[in-house]
Every structure is written in C-alpha cells, then in structure tokens.
Amino acid sequence: MALFRCEEMALYQLFLQSEAAYNCVGEMGEIGLVQFRDMNPDVNAFQRKFVNEVRRCEEMERKLRFIEKEVKKEAHINIPNNVPDLKQVPAAREMNELDNQLEKLENELRELLSNQEQLQKNFLELTELKQVLLRTSIFFQEGGGHFGAPGGTDPEYQIAPSEDPGASKLGVVAGVIKRELLGAFERVLWRVCRGNVFLKHADIEEPLTDPTTGDSLLKCVFIVFFQGEQLGNRVKKICEGFRATLYPCPEQTAERREMLKGVEARIADLQVVLDQTLSHRTRVLESAAANLPLWFVKVRKIKSIYHTLNLFQVSQKYLQVQCWIPITDIPKIQAALDKGTSDAGSSVPSVLSQVPTKEQPPTFNRTNKFTEGFQTIIDAYGVSSYREMNPMPFTVITFPFLFAVMFGDCGHGLIMALFAGLLIWKEKDIIAAKSKNEIFMMFFGGRYLIFLMGVFSIYTGILYNDLFSKSMNIFGSQWAIPQDVAKTLAGYSDNTDTVELDPKDSFKDKAPYPFGLDPIWQVADNKLDFLNSFKMKLSVILGVMHMLFGVVLSLLNHTYFRKPLNVIAEFIPQVLFLGGLFGYLVFMIIYKWFAFDYTNSASAPQLLITFTDMFMLSAPDDELYSGQYTVQVIILLVGVACVPWMLFVKPTVLYMRHRNPAAVKGQRSNLPHQCLAVEMGQLMDNSLPLLTLAVFLKLRNNRVNRFCCFTAIRPAGG
C-alpha cells in the first residue's frame, strides 16, 4: 500500500557516542532516509558546537570555487563531468588534510597569478616602448616634411605663434594611447596648447593584452613636438588626463637604435620566463582539475555531516537527537549505526528508541526513476497529508491521456515518443555524464512522462485522424456521391465546389468509419462545427469522470481515517451535486448519441438550451425521454439542497463538539497512537524549523505520567 499512501513513519530518540557521532551521521546520510529535528531551537547558529567545522568547510568551498574559476579560464583544460560516486563517508581527519592541500594550492595559484600579471605588465610596457621607438624613428625621418594640424584649414586648429619668446628648441613627448581616445586627445591638445604643437600618430597593428583583465587592447603610438617648458608641462598633463603611457624617446638616431636593441633583448628574455610561468601554471591547474569533482563531493559531505551534528544536544560523553524514520527502513538505519560505530572504533553501541507521539507527521512518498516525474507534478500542486491517498499512481495514466486528448496529433506524438524513448535508452550514459544543463535535465527527469504523452497522442491522433494536421485515408471514406448527384454535378461549371450529401443516400453500407473520424471531414465545410461539438462533448465527459474519481478518492481517505462526519457532510453532497447536475449532462450527451441518428437528427434537442432551461425551471420544447421535466426538477432541488448541506452541516457539528469537551475527550481517548517519521533528503526544510520541547507518554502499573507537548512551526523570518 506504500504506492497508494505515504510511508508509515516513527519518531525515534537517538543517542550517539561523541567519538562515533560523525561516522554514524555520515552513514545515515548515505541512506537518505532520516530527518533530524533541531534540538537546539533557541541557540544561535553561530553559537553551536560544530560551527567552526562548518565555517572551515565553507572556506574550503570558497577555495574550490576559486580553483574552479581559474581552471575555466583555460579553454584547453576540461573538468571531468563524471562526478565520482563516493559511497564511503569521508573520515573526519580528511578535513584537515584536504584543508591543508587546498590552502597550499590556493597560495601557489595566487603567487603564480601575481607573478604572471607582473611579467605580462612588464612585457606590455616593453612592447609599447618597442613600438614607440620604431614609430618615432619613422616620424623623425619624415621630419623634413610638412606636419599639418589635425583640423586642416579650420581656423580653430591653425597653429599660432609661440607664447614663450625664449623657446628655440623643440621638445618631444612620445607615448601610447588607446585608439578610441585618440580623436578627443588630439582636439584637446590643439585647443589647450592653442595650436603650438605638432602631433603625429600611427596605429599598432597587433592587439595588445591587458595584464589585469586579459582583454585585447587596440592602441596607437603618438609623438608631440612643442616649444618651451611651460607648453611641455601642459602636454604631459593632457596625456595624464587621457591615461596615455609616456616613454623616453632619445633625439639621436644612434641612441634610439641602441635602446631598441636592449628592449628587444629584454623582451626575448621576458618571453622565455613568461612561457615557463604559463607552463607551470597549466600543469598545476590540470592536476587540480582532475581532482575538483572529488574534492567538491568530499567537502559538501563533510559540511552536511557537521551541519546535521549542530542539531544534536551535546553533552560530555554523548549526543542525542530526535528523528523521523520510515518504519520499514528501521533495519537499514540500525545497520548504518552499527557500521558507523565500528568504523569509529567505539565499543559502545548507538541507542535508537521509539518515542510515542500524537503529532501530525510529514509525508514521505517513496519514488523511483519512473514515478519521480509524476510525483513531482503532484507535489507542485500540493503535498498530501500523512497517510492520505497519493494520486500519483492514477496520474501516471490520467495526466498523459488528458494531454493527448488536447494534443491529438499522431505525427507530433510519434516525435515525442521517439525523443523520450532515446532518453530512456541512453539514461545510464546521461546519468553518468552529470550534465549541468538545467533545461535538458528537466526534460530528462520527465522522460517517462513525455514517452506516455507521445504514445497516447499517437492514439488520439489516429482517433482524430490527424497526422501533422493532415488527414489519413487508411480504410477509405464511408461517404460516396450518389449517381444522381454525380450526373447533376457533371452539368455544373467548375466554380461549384460545395455539395451537400445526405447520409441516407451517401453512406456506404450504413456503417461508420472503422476507427476514428472519417477522412472526408477534413474537406467538409462544416468540419469545425462537427469537430468542435464532438470534442467539447468528449471533454465534458472526461472532465466529469475525472472530478468524480477525485471525489471517490476522498471517500477512501474518510473511511481510512474513520471520519464519518466527512462522509456525511462532504462526500455525499459532493457526489449528489456533481453527479446530479454535471453527471446528468453527461447522461444526456450519451443518451442523445444512441437515441438519434441521421434519420431523426433534425428533431434532436439542443443540449445547451435544455441544460439552461433546467436551471430556469422551464419545460423542454423537445423531450429526450418521457418525464424529463420531473426528473430535472428533482435533480435541481437536490443540487440546491446540497449547497447548505456542504456549507453548514460540518461547521455546526464541530461547533457542538467544541461546546461539549467531554465528548471530544472521549473520542480522542479511543484513537490509536500513530508513529511518525519522514525522509531526510526530500522533506527536510530548514526554513520551517520545528520547535519541539518534549513528548512522552509512559504507562506503568495503570498509572499515566503525562508530559505536556508544545509544538509550533515558525517561518525562518518569523
């Protein structure tokens, strides 16, 4: 019955020895069938016993993210996608070893990054200096030519006489500036210096690399000629404002050549050192990339274990906690505790004892790879209460079938089925690949759902005779044009494209199409009228059946929980209301299909008008059957009576019970005690911590020792 109802749960008290607590919690976490309750609700998260260990794990996660970021910068280094399936719990001592290893690796990478950045910065400066020396040599060789102002004949840019009467020697400022800033730099230079400068520039063809960001830079070399020290200071300030890099430029050709040779030698030496640094960094990152998935798994498991241990009450010799466990999995939990105690080398076994309680337990629905997608859809609408009927098994059929009723195309359904079938066929490889594509993994998680939707869509597509919105003439149409009509059509012009066929004369053998819709309807003028009417009636029938089925499931819940009041005040009026009104509409649809054919269809009543007249208490013009008006009045009166029945009966009874506490107490004493539990991995919600003080019922020598139980659920921000 676990398929139709959630697992039976039990509340247990767990006592662990201090030296074995880590291993025991790790083994239970590997099973994933335990939810631990917070035994320290009033203790701040930063004041708990194992908060330092959790912080160390968070610091290790930060280091791993830093290493992963550096690995991803190298396009040729790939991180393995297959995350290792680490079945064993990482030993507590591994945290220190892993922390030291990551600390050493992070420091080494940061030192390499710092050295590499400094080397690249020096390499960039030397490269720019080389370009300045090469370009300025060309500028000086062209010095005999005319250096025009950038403004051409514009009066604003015409060179004015020098304001410094003592200036007779030309000064030179050379450097490198970003290419996109050159135009503004040129205009500001001429305006501030009032045209008393000469500017020459040339683009650096090869893009340079920013040592900090790694982005490509497009720069150009410039040289400015001026007269006077005051004018030179202005030029240098303008260059500083535009963040241009200035380099020394000797005036003598021999000095420039000698400096150029020295720069080229330094660049060659620096390139060798830079290549060795990059090679060493690549080797370090490749070694780290191979171990990154395993390190992430270990750190997260260790962090989860210590985070769970923070929920325990800690004393000098032991730790205790309350937890929810599925009753059927108690042997697995006990075996995990024994294994954890044995691995820790402890001689004192762990103690697991059941705690009686009347609390409403959480819901744990066990799933597998087939039912997981369907259960996710159910949980998206709402998780059922403890031991209520789980509609998931029925949704396996109803959800894809109702989708197919809406979709109804066998061509597109075949594509869906083939796609889902491929995912099912390759599911082991896909699971092993550990893809991080969320959209693809969403489709992969619902592969069985998509497959069933495709299969049912093929069925309904054949039923609708729809293949990629085209009709299929498999068995041949049962409609035929009579000979007399064919002779009449022979005399018509080509513009005649509509012929009205009477089923009495145009239907072969008086038998319908073998399966689905006749293909002739695809070319009929009244195709939409016929198909819309057919699909609307089919939707009404399926919808009412679906709702009635849900009401029947509620009856199973009422009987299971022994709530006769809900049966009388909810189920019965719901069935009468739904079945009496909408069930009657379904009855009329089906009755009309059997009672009328092409021989008497002209006298068939309109169901919409008939149903409307039923609520207006009007007698139908054309009766479907004798006594129809009387039956409709009775059904309507029953439906009206069901409304106050559903609204007032149950609240009134509950109010009367509230006024008579003695009767309520007697009913509660007859209820059996239920044991509670839940799964750790799926149902644990840290945003709603349970604040529980104590629950104990102890019976001894016909004496009852009662301890009050106060339980509240408080939101994280409440």
Side-chain angles (χ1 to χ4, degrees):
M1 292 296 292
L3 181 64
F4 296 98
R5 297 187 186 275
C6 67
E7 294 284 341
E8 293 189 22
M9 312 295 287
L11 181 63
Y12 279 80
Q13 187 86 8
L14 178 60
F15 294 88
L16 300 176
Q17 291 296 314
S18 299
E19 61 271 13
Y22 176 90
N23 296 81
C24 292
V25 172
E27 292 296 336
M28 288 188 290
E30 292 294 337
I31 300 176
L33 295 172
V34 181
Q35 178 188 0
F36 296 95
R37 300 174 64 178
D38 191 358
M39 305 301 293
N40 309 292
D42 298 326
V43 180
N44 190 282
F46 300 99
Q47 298 176 349
R48 304 204 176 194
K49 178 68 175 179
F50 302 96
V51 64
N52 292 330
E53 286 78 2
V54 175
R55 287 178 174 175
R56 286 185 64 185
C57 292
E58 292 177 349
E59 181 65 17
M60 284 191 289
E61 285 184 326
R62 182 197 62 78
K63 296 174 184 176
L64 286 173
R65 289 193 297 269
F66 167 75
I67 297 172
E68 183 182 26
K69 179 182 177 182
E70 295 301 321
V71 170
K72 289 182 177 179
K73 289 181 180 179
E74 303 294 333
H76 62 281
I77 302 178
N78 296 322
I79 301 176
N81 291 326
N82 52 341
V83 180
D85 192 4
L86 188 63
K87 293 295 184 181
Q88 296 182 350
V89 179
R93 63 178 181 275
E94 289 189 31
M95 183 173 68
N96 296 328
E97 298 174 359
L98 186 58
D99 191 10
N100 294 333
Q101 186 176 3
L102 294 178
E103 181 73 20
K104 180 180 178 182
L105 182 59
E106 183 191 22
N107 293 336
E108 184 178 4
L109 282 177
R110 291 192 181 277
E111 184 178 357
L112 286 174
L113 285 174
S114 178
N115 294 338
Q116 179 183 347
E117 183 177 349
Q118 185 62 38
L119 290 173
Q120 289 179 342
K121 184 177 180 181
N122 295 338
F123 184 81
L124 176 64
E125 292 177 353
L126 291 175
T127 304
E128 291 179 348
L129 178 57
K130 176 183 176 181
Q131 294 293 330
V132 168
L133 294 175
L134 290 174
R135 302 296 178 180
T136 52
S137 297
I138 300 175
F139 293 158
F140 280 114
Q141 291 175 4
E142 298 175 351
H146 176 70
F147 297 96
T153 57
D154 192 343
E156 183 180 0
Y157 293 106
Q158 294 301 312
I159 301 176
S162 174
E163 297 179 354
D164 190 356
S168 59
K169 184 179 179 181
L170 283 176
V172 177
V173 172
V176 176
I177 191 173
K178 291 183 179 180
R179 196 176 297 178
E180 61 269 17
L181 300 178
L182 179 62
F185 172 73
E186 192 174 4
R187 289 191 295 270
V188 171
L189 190 64
W190 246 259
R191 290 175 180 175
V192 172
C193 297
R194 299 182 180 180
N196 294 307
V197 294
F198 292 105
L199 173 67
K200 293 290 289 182
H201 61 84
D203 295 338
I204 301 177
E205 298 178 356
E206 297 181 358
L208 305 176
T209 303
D210 191 332
T212 304
T213 62
D215 299 334
S216 297
L217 299 176
L218 298 177
K219 293 188 175 183
C220 61
V221 176
F222 69 89
I223 183 170
V224 181
F225 298 93
F226 57 88
Q227 284 184 339
E229 182 179 356
Q230 183 178 4
L231 199 57
N233 293 333
R234 291 184 183 180
V235 172
K236 292 178 181 179
K237 288 183 179 180
I238 295 173
C239 293
E240 182 181 355
F242 280 89
R243 296 183 179 179
T245 307
L246 302 181
Y247 293 99
C249 181
E251 298 181 4
Q252 301 297 326
T253 304
E255 294 180 2
R256 288 197 300 271
R257 290 177 180 175
E258 187 68 23
M259 181 180 289
L260 181 59
K261 290 180 181 180
V263 169
E264 290 178 346
R266 291 175 60 188
I267 289 177
D269 296 338
L270 192 59
Q271 184 65 53
V272 174
V273 177
L274 190 58
D275 291 341
Q276 293 177 351
T277 303
L278 292 176
S279 178
H280 178 61
R281 179 174 180 270
T282 301
R283 289 194 300 269
V284 172
L285 292 178
E286 287 177 349
S287 176
N291 297 318
L292 267 180
L294 179 61
W295 289 342
F296 268 114
V297 172
K298 285 186 177 181
V299 171
R300 288 167 181 169
K301 283 192 175 184
I302 295 173
K303 180 182 177 182
S304 300
I305 293 173
Y306 281 114
H307 177 76
T308 304
L309 287 174
N310 277 331
L311 305 178
F312 284 63
Q313 277 187 351
V314 182
S315 62
Q316 294 181 354
K317 296 183 178 180
Y318 65 90
L319 291 80
Q320 65 170 334
V321 73
Q322 290 182 353
C323 54
W324 300 99
I325 305 175
I327 293 178
T328 56
D329 296 316
I330 296 300
K332 295 182 180 179
I333 302 302
Q334 191 63 55
L337 292 175
D338 295 340
K339 186 177 184 302
T341 304
S342 176
D343 293 342
S346 176
S347 58
V348 181
S350 303
V351 178
L352 185 65
S353 59
Q354 186 173 349
V355 179
T357 180
K358 291 184 179 179
E359 293 182 50
Q360 177 70 25
T363 304
F364 168 41
N365 293 309
R366 200 183 300 270
T367 59
N368 52 40
K369 64 180 182 180
F370 178 78
T371 60
E372 184 178 3
F374 298 95
Q375 189 65 56
T376 302
I377 296 176
I378 297 298
D379 294 342
Y381 286 95
V383 180
S384 57
S385 299
Y386 179 70
R387 299 299 291 170
E388 279 189 348
M389 286 292 297
N390 183 17
M392 182 272 298
F394 313 104
T395 309
V396 171
I397 299 300
T398 59
F399 187 90
F401 179 73
L402 292 179
F403 168 84
V405 171
M406 176 274 300
F407 196 64
D409 190 301
C410 59
H412 293 96
L414 179 62
I415 294 176
M416 292 177 59
L418 291 176
F419 170 71
L422 180 62
L423 295 180
I424 295 172
W425 182 35
K426 296 290 186 180
E427 65 179 11
K428 292 184 179 180
D429 298 334
I430 297 175
I431 293 174
K434 301 292 185 181
S435 175
K436 295 183 180 180
N437 191 320
E438 294 183 3
I439 297 179
F440 174 76
M441 293 307 296
M442 179 178 64
F443 283 104
F444 178 73
R447 58 194 180 279
Y448 292 100
L449 173 62
I450 298 174
F451 179 76
L452 289 179
M453 289 193 299
V455 171
F456 282 117
S457 296
I458 294 174
Y459 169 76
T460 54
I462 298 175
L463 187 66
Y464 297 159
N465 203 344
D466 201 346
L467 174 66
F468 296 114
S469 300
K470 298 294 182 180
S471 177
M472 300 177 292
N473 192 359
I474 300 176
F475 304 103
S477 176
Q478 293 298 102
W479 290 80
I481 301 177
Q483 294 182 357
D484 55 344
V485 177
K487 294 179 180 179
T488 304
L489 289 175
Y492 288 171
S493 62
D494 295 337
N495 296 330
T496 303
D497 56 357
T498 302
V499 176
E500 183 175 349
L501 300 179
D502 190 345
K504 292 184 292 184
D505 303 326
S506 304
F507 219 48
K508 296 180 181 179
D509 303 328
K510 311 301 180 185
Y513 193 70
F515 186 83
L517 293 178
D518 196 298
I520 196 66
W521 286 107
Q522 294 292 335
V523 296
D525 285 349
N526 56 342
K527 168 189 173 182
L528 290 179
D529 296 335
F530 171 75
L531 291 181
N532 289 343
S533 175
F534 168 73
K535 292 182 179 181
M536 180 192 69
K537 294 175 181 177
L538 186 63
S539 301
V540 171
I541 295 173
L542 294 176
V544 173
M545 290 175 58
H546 204 198
M547 290 188 290
L548 280 174
F549 181 70
V551 175
V552 172
L553 291 183
S554 69
L555 174 63
L556 299 179
N557 287 329
H558 300 330
T559 56
Y560 178 83
F561 291 110
R562 300 177 184 178
K563 295 181 178 179
L565 176 61
N566 291 352
V567 177
I568 298 173
E570 292 182 6
F571 173 73
I572 295 178
Q574 287 174 358
V575 170
L576 292 177
F577 184 86
L578 182 61
L581 296 179
F582 299 99
Y584 178 69
L585 177 60
V586 173
F587 164 76
M588 288 193 297
I589 292 174
I590 298 176
Y591 182 85
K592 183 179 177 182
W593 283 345
F594 285 95
F596 296 91
D597 56 12
Y598 59 85
T599 59
N600 58 351
S601 60
S603 60
Q606 295 288 334
L607 294 183
L608 181 60
I609 297 176
T610 302
F611 200 61
T612 304
D613 291 340
M614 172 181 169
F615 287 92
M616 300 297 295
L617 295 177
S618 302
D621 297 333
D622 299 321
E623 289 190 348
L624 282 174
Y625 55 90
S626 59
Q628 178 183 354
Y629 178 71
T630 304
V631 173
Q632 292 182 169
V633 171
I634 295 174
I635 292 175
L636 184 60
L637 293 177
V638 171
V640 172
C642 288
V643 175
W645 189 352
M646 290 184 289
L647 292 178
F648 299 109
V649 172
K650 184 177 179 179
T652 303
V653 174
L654 293 178
Y655 175 74
M656 297 301 295
R657 289 180 179 179
H658 179 72
R659 295 290 300 272
N660 189 4
V664 177
K665 183 178 180 181
Q667 292 179 2
R668 289 181 178 177
S669 62
N670 296 327
L671 292 177
H673 298 299
Q674 297 183 0
C675 300
L676 319 174
V678 72
E679 180 182 20
M680 175 177 67
Q682 296 182 358
L683 300 177
M684 183 174 183
D685 187 358
N686 295 328
S687 64
L688 298 176
L690 297 177
L691 310 181
T692 305
L693 299 179
V695 168
F696 290 97
L697 293 176
K698 185 177 181 182
L699 303 176
R700 178 181 294 177
N701 298 329
N702 295 328
R703 296 181 180 179
V704 180
N705 297 327
R706 299 179 181 270
F707 295 87
C708 297
C709 171
F710 301 93
T711 303
I713 298 180
R714 182 185 63 185

